[in-house]
Amino acid sequence: MRAFTYERPDNVAAAMQAAIQPGASFIAGGTNLLDLMKIDVEQPTHLVDISRLPLREVTETPDGGLRIGALVSNTDLAADQRVRQRYPVLAMALLNGASGQLRNQATTAGNLLQRTRCPYFYDVAMPCNKRQPGSGCSALTGFNRMHAILGASQACIAVHPSDMAVAMAALHAEIELQTPAGLSRKMPIAELHRLPGQNPERDTTLARGELITAVILPPPPAGRQTYRKVRDRASFAFALVSVAAIVDAGGGKIRDARLALGGVAHKPWVPKEAERELAGAPAEAGSYEAAARSALREAQTYTHNEFKVPLAERLLARTLGELATGG
Amino acid sequence: MAQVIGQPIDRIDGRAKVTGTAAYAADNRAERMAFGSIVTATIARGRVAGIDANAARRMPGVLLVMTHENAPKQAPFQAKADDRHARPKPQLADDKVQYFGQPVALVVAETAETARAAASAIVVTYEKADGAFVLESASGAAYNPGKGPTGAPADSKLGDFDKAFAAAAVKIDAIYKTPYQSHAMMEPHASLASWQDGKLTVTSSLQLVESAHKSIADTLKLEPDKVEVISEYVGGGFGGKLPVYGDAILAALAARELNRPVRVALTRQQMFHVTTHRPASIQRVRLGAERDGTLTAITHQSLAQSARADEFAEPIVFSTRSLYAAPNRMTSQRIAALDLPVADSMRAPGEAIGLLAVEQAMDELAVRLDMDPIELRLKNEPKEDPEKKVPFSTRALVPCLTEGAKRFGWDKRNARPGQVRDGNWLVGMGVAAAIRGNFLREAEARVTMESEHHAVVEMDMTDIGTGSYTVFAQIAAELLDLPVENIKVKLGHSSYPDTPGSGGSFGASSCGAALHDACTKLKAKLQKGEGAQGLSATGSVKPGDEYKKYSQYAYGAHFAELGVDQTTGEVRLRRMLGVFAAGRILNAKTAHSQLIGGMIWGVGSALEEETVLDPRMGAFVTQDLVHYHVPVHADVPQVEAVLLDEFDPHANVLGSKGVGELGICGAGAAVANAVYNACGARVRDYPITLDKVLPALTRRQG
Ligand SMILES: Cc1cc2nc3c(=O)[nH]c(=O)nc-3n(C[C@H](O)[C@H](O)[C@H](O)COP(=O)(O)OP(=O)(O)OC[C@H]3O[C@@H](n4cnc5c(N)ncnc54)[C@H](O)[C@@H]3O)c2cc1C
Ligand code: SF4
């Protein structure tokens, strides 16, 4: 860990001011950032601790949605009655992430902005374009069992590790931001994380010094919701593949399906084509399987992650079936 | 004399541990202590061409940068020795890099943070050489190590295997692979070294204090009485703390250089390369049987990694020599020297991975014979050791299997895979045998009356979490007829009487037998009626002929029930039972905890654990506990161990055998066999992760 300076402002304006200086980084729960600092992957010279900012509330929005403060802990959010009743997919995703202790400390914004778990990213002795642009991607021809099958580039095949973000993508959440200029802006969650392209060092579209202040959930969509995570052990492991799904079905037909896949791409992956195909389709196995196939149609695999394609297809088809038929 | 030995009493060190007052190596503090941080090599083979430490040296608070250019001269490394763990372990001795992660520099600073930051600021350049990293491609370079770490010969042969196998009515010929594994014990390695009046004290996290004492003294070319090694609390060892590593030696060298105490701790990430690992293996098992299940031919051949830097021959096939009867048999052990970090013992070296192969092969044979796998094992129960041709000291495999079958409800198992469903889960059961060699080593113990009713026991033995403190207190209490609370047990100082330490499950029996002797002698003195206070006796034990005259093993049987998700291939254990016989049990509670710990590790070996090698770099890419998976609570919902009554009169005076490793032996094979029974996936390449199960599921469903 490199030496750094530290401050803990108690209001948003002061935090924004503090974050302007070069080398500054926000720190919330610190469960990701500190680990990365200890192993020299992140080297901020100034930490702006935002944990005392008044961003810990979950409040109702006028249209019937929820506004989740950036600092609401993963534990509190998962336990919130409104979340559990109206957005069960989100509560489930949160509880499928990390461990109880980590969730107590982890924040909503920190969870969105956690960095990939590609093992090469974690060892400064190994080439990694995300950590050191231009050094090469060790995973491309190396150990890539956990890696992306959709939307990757030759420069980086890492996946975004968050569970919570996958549920939020299916819920069409919005991200509320403060810019260093003091303006507030919003963007759909789909625009927050980016695909690696030629700049894998950039995980998101956030500009330097921008602060996430809240995540806004639109009113709960009609239909049944679930989050299903497939992993190498029963708990405390990142997703190999996960599915967040909200399916509104009745009378033998699917009215609407909202889907997002985790563990397959550099961002929560929304299979738009599959969603379109499902809208109005008969609620039967053939529809689910066809949708699952089209969700994975563009998949590209590497040495160790071929299994993710059949796995994601099977998981998606089964999840759709369970939600649509009330099974 | 009240019966104290065997009672399930709580650990006498439990309170100190749960209240945080038990000081583990890195918890120790010393006046003016400085902190060291190790810089490790980022190539697997070659030499250090240059080290630029200018930036590090200039950082405020940095006291010392040690590299091969300025490291004090130490004794040379020895390839072979009677006690591998007592050899000199010179650090930064030259510019040669023999494996990825080898220490190439040490930075010492006023704070741990500064030391670490300075270590990151050191720029090392290398001249890289090609290396061999892949076991699969190294079979040409495989060689016969002559013998394994326990001294048994690498090869054995009886009868005419080829002929019998060719003639066998039913055969299995299969290759099994086990991956690199890391000990991943909770407490990372750390050492605090200080010098006073020319005497070195090293407080470290070690299993073998006596070996470490010699290793450290010899490395630094010191007289033995100029070195004291202390290891009072150890947060798990599992074989990974048998050797002495750079933390201890470098702390000692730096402390001498700086004339102040120095602590060096490894990071979790460093442990995967700096310390040892279990070597990967490729094993071929061939079984030939008659239609009724009688085995006529057995072979077990193994190839395992060994480090070019330091040879280790994992004794994978040894227990196969004693497990089942068959007139024609052959075993062979080969190793291949690769340019990888050093392989060494990890919980039940040999059996832990050997049985993953042999006990899965037995299951495959049972399937082919259409025979119950327990029946098959009962059918091949030997009357004496099938290769050594000596009697078993005790052998309770049959009762373990039959008692376990009864308790587990084995009769409810459906022998055909894929028949039992529970929602989306395909449910299966598996069984496997456990066998683990029992050893006795030379040991000494001293017991002294501190007052009329209080005694103190001293040994340089360690308690690596197994319960040594507690069982020794029980032994002394029973023999001296004192309450357990009146016995103080002092372990882990090299100045105390010599013991073999903790390793190979020999600790409790060897030290316990020496202590038994000491207490018996003390009791004789006490009976003379002179005042008790200050009376002291030293006892000892030496392995005798019993080890040649009898085949000595502990046995057990594992039963596992698990579910396989028919969509995803996820495997989740539901319940597991182990039934064991390991001589007399010294403390039913700590023994139970050792056994279920071993079983859980077996579950991990079967389903999760793998230190992944990147063959391009010769480096392990799993370098933390996010990437290196061991079972979590949710993975082991119900694990039970049952101990059968036994007393082994040939093992030692206590009649006890080791239990620390028995639990892992065969446990993973029971899990693998249950996976097959659940869904028909026969995975011979451990760990059985879902990607290896999926193909069988997609085939099933067409
Ligand atoms: C062992 C382990 C296992 C885990 N398993 C899982 C898992 O299974 N699933 C899962 O989803 N997650 C998992 N996690 C990740 C965990 O969820 C994240 O570490 C956590 O959510 C990060 O939150 P934090 O508040 O601690 O973030 P921090 O570490 O404080 O910050 C992370 C990043 O976000 C930035 N940041 C934080 N808040 C803001 C803000 N308001 N505006 C702008 N930038 C901000 C910081 O600058 C930093 O770059 C695991 C973590 C660990 C250590
Ligand atoms: S996949 Fe991305 S994060 Fe991983 S090594 Fe390649 S560039 Fe780095």
Side-chain angles (χ1 to χ4, degrees):
Chain A
M1 189 185 282
R2 310 273 166 144
F4 58 87
T5 50
Y6 172 89
E7 70 184 293
R8 192 169 59 198
D10 57 13
N11 65 75
V12 170
M16 300 310 297
Q17 193 56 39
I20 290 175
Q21 63 168 283
S25 177
F26 294 122
I27 180 165
T31 59
N32 190 221
L33 184 62
L34 278 177
D35 279 358
L36 292 167
M37 287 170 66
K38 283 193 240 170
I39 56 172
D40 225 23
V41 170
E42 300 261 21
Q43 305 174 349
T45 51
H46 184 63
L47 284 188
V48 181
D49 183 344
I50 58 173
S51 62
R52 301 287 165 93
L53 301 187
L55 303 172
R56 283 198 186 267
E57 302 280 314
V58 181
T59 50
E60 313 255 351
T61 60
D63 65 353
L66 286 183
R67 182 178 182 282
I68 303 161
L71 291 171
V72 174
S73 77
N74 289 179
T75 297
D76 288 347
L77 188 56
D80 189 289
Q81 277 309 318
R82 294 159 296 187
V83 173
R84 291 171 53 142
Q85 279 159 16
R86 295 183 229 158
Y87 305 96
V89 63
L90 178 57
M92 290 163 85
L94 284 160
L95 294 176
N96 270 281
S99 67
Q101 286 149 314
L102 281 161
R103 293 194 297 268
N104 288 342
Q105 181 71 8
T107 66
T108 303
N111 189 316
L112 285 172
L113 299 181
Q114 63 176 299
R115 309 210 64 189
T116 185
R117 291 286 169 173
C118 170
Y120 299 102
F121 177 71
Y122 273 73
D123 187 342
V124 293
M126 299 184 179
C128 168
N129 287 326
K130 186 181 278 299
R131 177 169 28 76
Q132 204 186 338
S135 61
C137 171
S138 293
L140 198 59
T141 59
F143 178 61
N144 47 38
R145 183 168 176 274
M146 296 294 290
H147 288 71
I149 52 173
L150 288 162
S153 70
Q154 291 291 103
C156 178
I157 58 172
V159 299
H160 191 262
S162 169
D163 291 298
M164 181 196 80
V166 179
M168 286 180 172
L171 288 167
H172 298 183
E174 278 189 311
I175 309 296
E176 184 192 278
L177 302 165
Q178 280 279 312
T179 70
L183 301 174
S184 178
R185 69 178 181 110
K186 283 188 201 161
M187 66 160 105
I189 188 170
E191 288 170 22
L192 174 66
H193 299 101
R194 45 188 303 285
L195 292 178
Q198 287 316 299
N199 301 93
E201 69 280 10
R202 290 184 52 214
D203 292 352
T204 70
T205 58
L206 289 190
R208 241 188 56 77
E210 280 189 315
L211 177 79
I212 295 182
T213 48
V215 174
I216 294 164
L217 300 182
R224 303 176 64 214
Q225 312 180 2
T226 197
Y227 185 76
R228 177 72 166 83
K229 176 178 183 180
V230 178
R231 48 185 152 175
D232 279 323
R233 60 183 174 191
S235 172
F236 211 9
F238 287 94
L240 293 166
V241 170
S242 70
V243 173
I246 304 161
V247 177
D248 181 21
K253 275 206 174 335
I254 297 171
R255 283 186 285 272
D256 185 35
R258 296 184 184 190
L259 307 171
L261 295 171
V264 297
H266 202 252
K267 60 187 290 186
W269 187 263
V270 176
K272 291 228 177 61
E273 183 59 34
E275 288 182 344
R276 261 195 299 276
E277 284 174 25
L278 284 166
E284 62 188 30
S287 307
Y288 317 141
E289 282 158 19
R293 274 194 304 276
S294 69
L296 276 300
R297 187 160 297 135
E298 308 279 294
Q300 192 190 337
T301 62
Y302 304 89
T303 323
H304 306 108
N305 71 357
E306 248 173 74
F307 73 95
K308 281 193 175 183
V309 176
L311 178 62
E313 282 179 0
R314 293 162 70 87
L315 182 68
L316 191 49
R318 169 165 131 198
T319 307
L320 287 169
E322 284 171 357
L323 288 182
T325 56
Chain B
M1 196 157 66
Q3 167 102 36
V4 187
I5 299 175
Q7 294 302 312
I9 66 167
D10 292 343
R11 285 161 199 271
I12 60 173
D13 50 336
R15 179 180 289 266
K17 284 183 172 175
V18 300
T19 53
T21 50
Y24 290 84
D27 297 332
N28 289 288
R29 292 285 175 272
E31 196 122 353
R32 293 182 64 242
M33 173 168 102
F35 298 82
S37 179
I38 294 177
V39 180
T40 59
T42 57
I43 62 163
R45 187 155 186 243
R47 57 176 288 271
V48 174
I51 298 185
D52 180 355
N54 288 326
R57 284 203 175 90
R58 276 198 306 270
M59 288 170 71
V62 171
L63 302 166
L64 172 71
V65 176
M66 194 184 282
T67 70
H68 70 274
E69 288 162 359
N70 63 348
K73 193 141 174 54
Q74 302 148 67
F77 176 72
Q78 292 167 9
K80 303 246 174 188
D82 284 346
D83 178 356
R84 265 190 1 274
H85 304 302
R87 293 173 298 168
K89 286 290 174 70
Q91 302 293 315
L92 311 176
D94 54 31
D95 61 355
K96 221 158 99 187
V97 175
Q98 293 182 286
Y99 56 89
F100 190 101
Q102 175 190 317
V104 292
L106 174 79
V107 183
V108 185
E110 295 287 352
T111 67
E113 291 76 11
T114 308
R116 200 158 169 182
S120 312
I122 290 183
V123 182
V124 185
T125 47
Y126 299 94
E127 255 168 43
K128 211 164 149 180
D130 288 340
F133 307 123
V134 180
L135 188 62
E136 280 81 353
S137 13
S139 48
Y143 65 97
N144 180 341
K147 52 184 188 184
T150 53
D155 287 5
S156 75
K157 209 170 160 166
L158 201 74
D160 186 341
F161 172 80
D162 289 335
K163 202 166 132 206
F165 187 67
V170 183
K171 296 176 214 191
I172 293 294
D173 180 354
I175 305 246
Y176 303 86
K177 288 187 186 182
T178 65
Y180 294 100
Q181 294 181 345
S182 302
H183 304 86
M185 70 294 273
M186 253 207 278
E187 182 207 13
H189 301 64
S191 297
L192 168 61
S194 57
W195 293 79
Q196 198 161 23
D197 307 326
K199 183 169 178 180
L200 168 68
T201 303
V202 179
T203 306
S204 187
S205 187
L206 298 162
Q207 292 178 235
L208 314 177
V209 167
E210 189 46 37
S211 301
H213 179 248
K214 181 163 172 20
S215 171
I216 294 168
D218 285 358
T219 307
L220 275 74
K221 303 183 183 174
L222 296 166
E223 291 303 318
D225 63 348
K226 294 288 183 212
V227 180
E228 171 82 344
V229 173
I230 302 173
S231 191
E232 288 183 354
Y233 293 103
V234 181
F238 309 120
K241 289 173 182 168
L242 295 170
V244 166
Y245 301 100
D247 58 320
I249 304 295
L250 290 170
L253 292 173
R256 187 168 60 187
E257 246 11 54
L258 292 169
N259 197 20
R260 58 191 279 192
V262 172
R263 188 196 84 181
V264 178
L266 298 185
T267 65
R268 174 64 65 183
Q269 286 83 355
Q270 287 176 334
M271 287 167 64
F272 287 84
H273 289 103
V274 175
T275 76
T276 55
H277 60 267
R278 195 199 293 282
S281 78
I282 302 172
Q283 305 176 45
R284 182 178 185 193
V285 181
R286 281 175 286 172
L287 303 173
E290 292 169 14
R291 286 249 165 264
D292 69 353
T294 306
L295 283 167
T296 53
I298 301 177
T299 70
H300 187 190
Q301 296 164 287
S302 71
L303 171 66
Q305 175 254 343
S306 170
R308 204 186 302 281
D310 192 5
E311 182 179 285
F312 175 70
E314 170 106 10
I316 297 170
V317 302
F318 288 12
S319 290
T320 310
R321 296 173 187 166
S322 304
L323 189 51
Y324 298 116
N328 304 289
R329 39 208 309 145
M330 194 249 290
T331 65
S332 88
Q333 181 200 21
R334 296 289 176 271
I335 53 176
L338 300 178
D339 299 292
L340 293 177
V342 178
D344 207 311
S345 304
M346 178 162 143
R347 204 172 197 170
E351 287 92 340
I353 55 177
L355 292 174
L356 287 176
V358 168
E359 283 302 280
Q360 201 183 159
M362 283 296 279
D363 200 67
E364 298 201 46
L365 180 63
V367 170
R368 200 157 290 176
L369 288 162
D370 201 11
M371 189 171 178
D372 183 276
I374 295 180
E375 281 305 311
L376 174 64
R377 289 173 172 90
L378 299 184
K379 182 108 201 160
N380 291 289
E381 174 67 10
K383 296 205 172 46
E384 58 172 6
D385 188 289
E387 297 201 15
K388 285 187 216 138
K389 302 287 182 196
V390 296
F392 294 108
S393 63
T394 61
R395 175 164 166 125
L397 178 57
V398 168
C400 289
L401 283 164
T402 49
E403 176 67 20
K406 206 162 64 202
R407 288 174 182 251
F408 197 68
W410 184 255
D411 55 341
K412 297 195 187 63
R413 169 178 179 266
N414 187 323
R416 279 187 52 214
Q419 300 306 302
V420 183
R421 270 162 198 282
D422 176 8
N424 270 307
W425 298 95
L426 298 167
V427 180
M429 291 188 197
V431 66
I435 177 171
R436 169 68 194 169
N438 185 52
F439 306 99
L440 187 77
R441 296 278 173 91
E442 194 171 340
E444 282 178 19
R446 180 167 57 231
V447 57
T448 308
M449 296 306 294
E450 282 194 315
S451 70
E452 195 73 29
H453 300 293
H454 290 81
V456 55
V457 171
E458 290 168 315
M459 283 181 262
D460 73 6
M461 173 63 177
T462 48
D463 185 331
I464 60 174
T466 50
S468 315
Y469 279 112
T470 312
V471 298
F472 298 147
Q474 287 173 271
I475 293 170
E478 179 165 318
L479 287 159
L480 299 175
D481 216 355
L482 292 172
V484 173
E485 311 79 78
N486 290 15
I487 311 291
K488 196 190 289 172
V489 181
K490 291 164 80 177
L491 302 179
H493 286 239
S494 58
S495 53
Y496 300 156
D498 293 353
T499 72
S502 302
S505 301
F506 48 65
S509 290
S510 306
C511 299
L515 178 59
H516 187 284
D517 187 39
C519 291
T520 312
K521 287 178 175 153
L522 181 64
K523 204 152 179 201
K525 287 191 188 177
L526 286 168
Q527 275 158 0
K528 287 196 186 136
E530 300 153 30
Q533 192 174 346
L535 272 190
S536 181
T538 302
S540 64
V541 68
K542 270 196 178 120
D545 270 0
E546 302 290 271
Y547 280 79
K548 297 204 185 82
K549 291 197 277 187
Y550 296 93
S551 170
Q552 287 204 21
Y553 291 93
Y555 292 90
H558 297 278
F559 300 81
E561 182 182 83
L562 50 75
V564 176
D565 185 303
Q566 59 176 349
T567 309
T568 62
E570 288 160 293
V571 179
R572 299 289 181 255
L573 185 76
R574 297 187 158 203
R575 63 192 178 103
M576 193 160 180
L577 169 70
V579 179
F580 304 97
R584 180 184 188 185
I585 297 307
L586 302 175
N587 176 324
K589 189 171 188 176
T590 55
H592 179 263
S593 132
Q594 284 298 297
L595 289 164
I596 60 171
M599 290 167 69
I600 290 167
W601 202 329
V603 175
S605 300
L607 302 178
E608 298 172 11
E609 285 197 44
E610 177 171 12
T611 309
V612 176
L613 173 74
D614 187 318
R616 301 166 306 172
M617 308 185 202
F620 294 131
V621 293
T622 39
Q623 295 180 25
D624 57 36
L625 299 178
V626 167
H627 295 108
Y628 188 79
H629 279 180
V630 301
V632 295
H633 284 284
D635 289 320
V636 285
Q638 193 189 327
V639 176
E640 206 29 73
V642 171
L643 279 153
L644 302 184
D645 268 344
E646 196 180 71
F647 185 95
D648 189 335
H650 307 291
N652 58 68
V653 60
L654 295 162
S656 62
K657 291 175 179 177
V659 293
E661 293 167 308
L662 180 60
I664 190 176
C665 300
V671 172
N673 297 338
V675 170
Y676 173 81
N677 180 242
C679 70
R682 185 59 83 180
V683 183
R684 302 186 185 91
D685 177 13
Y686 292 95
I688 306 172
T689 46
L690 62 88
D691 42 317
K692 299 174 191 168
V693 176
L694 261 182
L697 299 177
T698 47
R699 267 198 310 275
R700 267 174 68 82
Q701 289 142 13

